[in-house]
């Protein structure tokens, strides 16, 4: 992996998870030393973060992590609904029934453990698998690209929402319904189940908000399969 790609993924993950909170200065000297690379690849990585809206130049301070607020939630979900419903419709046309049937079964199995308070990390990775499968099946690279970009900003909002076992279980059931509709290659049902899930996700975010958790020390992001080249935003990107 190129040094600039590694730096980009690490910094992006730290911003999403709050380890680099809004207002953090992305100083080239400090970050180069911390990440163990030269300033040229770091500069490339920061440029990508700026292009995605995760960082921005600040007069007299260099480049800083951008602010994030629940005030943005409704606007982001307006766009998310349009794009994800369209992707679900398109994906249903091209869907591999076996792939989405297996995903549906895994979501159904996840619901009860979540209701009983199981930590949701593996569940969020499962939602990322569904995102990847929908992105691939929708057969529209431009649509998938915009969705990946949007999910980065939605992931930052998730830190404002408490993990509610009942909501997580309901969310797993909703995702199972989406996956079943895709396995059945039913565009209308896929669109309807996606719309319902996003409506509930936004309502939960707005009514169960809390202060973002205190950031922890930055670490190299890891996961069950690690970041993948074709889907570098494969981290915990869903809202419940």
């Amino acid at each position: 992996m190129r040094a600039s790609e590694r730096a980009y993924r690490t910094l992006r993950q730290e911003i999403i998870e709050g380890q680099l909170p809004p207002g953090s200065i992305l100083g080239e000297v400090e970050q180069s030393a911390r990440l163990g690379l030269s300033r040229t690849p770091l500069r490339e990585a920061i440029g990508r973060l700026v292009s995605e809206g995760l960082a921005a130049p600040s007069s007299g301070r260099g480049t800083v992590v951008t602010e994030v607020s629940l005030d943005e939630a409704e606007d982001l979900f307006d766009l998310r609904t349009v794009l994800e419903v369209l992707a679900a419709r398109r994906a249903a046309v091209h869907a591999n029934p076996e792939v989405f049937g297996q995903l549906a079964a895994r979501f159904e199995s996840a619901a009860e453990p979540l209701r009983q308070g199981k930590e949701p990390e593996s569940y969020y990775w499962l939602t990322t698998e569904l995102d990847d499968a929908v992105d691939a099946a929708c057969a529209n690279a431009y649509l998938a690209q915009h969705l990946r970009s949007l999910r980065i900003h939605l992931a930052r909002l998730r830190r404002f929402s408490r993990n509610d076992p009942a909501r997580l279980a309901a969310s797993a059931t909703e995702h199972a319904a989406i996956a079943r509709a895709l396995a059945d290659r039913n565009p209308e049902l896929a669109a309807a189940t996606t719309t319902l899930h996003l409506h509930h996700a936004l309502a939960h975010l707005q009514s169960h908000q809390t202060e973002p958790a205190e950031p922890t020390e930055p670490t190299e992001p890891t996961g069950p399969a690690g970041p993948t080249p074709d889907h570098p935003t494969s981290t915990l990107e869903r809202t419940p």
Side-chain angles (χ1 to χ4, degrees):
M1 183 187 299
R2 294 174 59 234
S4 60
E5 180 69 18
R6 179 169 60 86
Y8 162 72
R9 293 188 186 188
T10 301
L11 293 172
R12 183 202 59 218
Q13 185 72 7
E14 291 170 359
I15 292 171
I16 289 173
E17 294 186 348
Q19 296 164 346
L20 285 173
S24 296
I25 300 173
L26 300 178
E28 291 184 10
V29 174
E30 295 79 9
Q31 296 298 331
S32 294
R34 182 173 72 86
L35 298 176
L37 44 77
S38 67
R39 293 174 66 176
T40 298
L42 180 72
R43 196 174 295 120
E44 292 177 15
I46 291 176
R48 290 177 65 182
L49 296 173
V50 170
S51 70
E52 291 178 343
L54 295 175
S58 177
S59 179
R61 301 180 67 199
T63 304
V64 301
V65 177
T66 54
E67 296 292 330
V68 61
S69 168
L70 277 175
D71 292 340
E72 303 168 12
E74 193 163 346
D75 289 344
L76 286 171
F77 268 82
D78 281 347
L79 182 57
R80 182 185 184 185
T81 299
V82 171
L83 295 182
E84 292 218 31
V85 168
L86 176 59
R89 287 183 185 275
R90 296 288 178 86
V93 175
H94 305 285
N96 181 324
E98 183 178 355
V99 169
F100 287 101
Q102 290 175 354
L103 284 167
R106 291 168 65 192
F107 277 114
E108 289 162 355
S109 297
E112 189 54 36
L114 288 168
R115 194 185 314 277
Q116 295 176 5
K118 179 183 177 181
E119 285 297 315
E121 182 175 358
S122 61
Y123 166 69
Y124 287 126
W125 278 99
L126 181 56
T127 66
T128 297
E129 287 189 48
L130 178 59
D131 285 340
D132 289 347
V134 171
D135 289 352
C138 78
N140 185 325
Y142 297 104
L143 176 58
Q145 179 181 352
H146 282 293
L147 274 170
R148 286 194 290 268
S149 178
L150 178 62
R151 288 174 190 139
I152 293 175
H153 297 281
L154 289 164
R156 299 183 75 192
L157 290 180
R158 187 168 58 80
R159 297 180 54 246
F160 289 94
S161 178
R162 294 190 296 271
N163 280 333
D164 182 312
R167 174 57 204 152
L168 286 166
S171 178
T173 300
E174 292 162 12
H175 279 105
I178 294 169
R180 287 289 178 203
L182 291 166
D184 292 340
R185 303 185 75 173
N186 186 327
E188 294 305 317
L189 186 56
T193 51
T194 299
T195 300
L196 180 65
H197 167 67
L198 295 178
H199 171 77
H200 288 162
L202 176 59
H204 176 80
L205 183 63
Q206 292 177 325
S207 61
H208 292 76
Q209 55 189 273
T210 185
E211 290 298 318
E214 287 296 320
T216 57
E217 288 298 313
T219 57
E220 179 73 19
T222 58
T228 57
D230 59 343
H231 189 72
T233 58
S234 291
T235 53
L236 313 185
E237 295 175 350
R238 283 275 188 175
T239 48

